[in-house]
Every structure is written in structure tokens, then in C-alpha cells.
Amino acid sequence: MGLIEKITRGPAGDFLLILLIGDLFFCVLHFVAGWGGLPLSFRITHDFSAPEAFQYLKFLWCAVLLIVLAIRRRAIAYLAWVPLMVFLLADDALRWHEALGNQFEAVIGGLFGAVQLPQKAELDDLGESLSVVLMAVPLLLVPAWTALRGEQGLKREFRVVFGLLVLLGFFGLIVDTGGKFFGPPRLLMNRATFYDALDFVEDAG
């Protein structure tokens, strides 16, 4: 039985299914709120929304489950992921990356004056992405070092987690920041619709 099949079966598979159903449920509520059927607090792209609170809960669950897994399997290696999960929760909830992004914009603006970037991209967007990378990469070194020293089974499990984090980084950094450097496809949608769709894909991802 392959690793992916193991993950998607049993209690782990049930837990993953619950998370996916929750995400899809909030995606539906996002559009219902957009049509006026629900408050804006159900929009995925709205700050401090119900979907955002669910995201906080997922990071918290991951941290707690990793601790439980380390205890049940008597394997301290799983604790290597906990600082990163706690950071992702704290950064998302406390808006550290946004505060650092604003500081980055202020510093660059003070040094070079007004800097014009393509399309909708702004200096604070670059600062936000840069701050997340600079804070998250050192925390990733711990599980990376742990995986290198671990057994094959542990390495396979850690590779799956790394892969999921790469997807998270793709949506949070590449789609969010990188997408703002490009304009909407001609004749397909207007500028406002394009960036609204971009925000939805980034937050839903």
C-alpha cells in the first residue's frame, strides 16, 4: 500500500475528508455571500471572516495532532513540524507579514522614492512575501534536517508534508503576489473581476 493510499484511508483519511468538505462548504458560502444571501464575513477574501477562522483552526489542529502523533508513536521527530504550524497560525491571525510588508514599503520608499510596479503589484506585496519566506525557511530547516536523519518511512511521510507546504506557498506567494504583476486576459474579463478571481483562488488554495 502506497503512502498516499495510507493517508487517505482510516482515521487520517476521515480527517482529511472533513477538512476538504469544510473548505468546499466555505467556498460555496463565499459565492452565496457575494450574491447578498449572507454577510460579508462569509466571504473567503474578507479579513477576519468565518473561512479565515476555519483556516486558523486547521493550523491549530495540525500542531495538536503532530504532538499527539509524537506521543503515540514515541517519535519526537514529528515535533519538528510544530514550530512551523504555530508560526503559520500566528502569522495569519496576527498579520505579521502585513505589518512587515508595510515596513518594507516605507523603507524602500524612503530610500528610492515612489516605485511603480506593473499592474496591481505594490511594494508591500513584495515585502509580505519576502517576510514570510525569511521567517518560514529557518523553521523548515528543522524538519528537513530531521527527515535527512530519519528512516525511509519517516522520509516518505515528511515528503508529503513538504509537498503540501509547497502547494500552500504556491497559492500564498506565487498566485497572490506574482499574479498581481499580470493583467487580465484580453476580452475574457475586466480588471476588477480578474483580481477578485485571483484573490479567491489564493485564499481558497
Side-chain angles (χ1 to χ4, degrees), residues 77 146-159:
T146 304
L148 289 174
R149 293 172 57 88
E151 300 176 353
Q152 285 300 119
L154 184 71
K155 290 179 180 179
R156 287 196 296 269
E157 292 175 351
F158 275 36
R159 277 199 296 266

Side-chain angles (χ1 to χ4, degrees), residues 35-78:
W35 296 326
L38 286 171
L40 289 177
S41 58
F42 285 94
R43 296 271 289 179
I44 288 177
T45 54
H46 193 71
D47 286 340
F48 302 107
S49 62
E52 195 168 273
F54 181 62
Q55 180 68 23
Y56 303 157
L57 189 59
K58 286 191 291 184
F59 286 137
L60 179 61
W61 280 344
C62 287
V64 171
L65 289 174
L66 285 164
I67 294 172
V68 172
L69 192 60
I71 295 172
R72 292 187 62 180
R73 293 192 179 182
R74 298 179 179 178
I76 196 173
Y78 293 103

Side-chain angles (χ1 to χ4, degrees), residues 16-28 54 58:
L16 180 61
L17 182 61
I18 290 172
L19 295 183
L20 291 175
I21 290 175
D23 286 336
L24 291 174
F25 177 69
F26 280 114
C27 285
V28 172
F54 181 62
K58 286 191 291 184

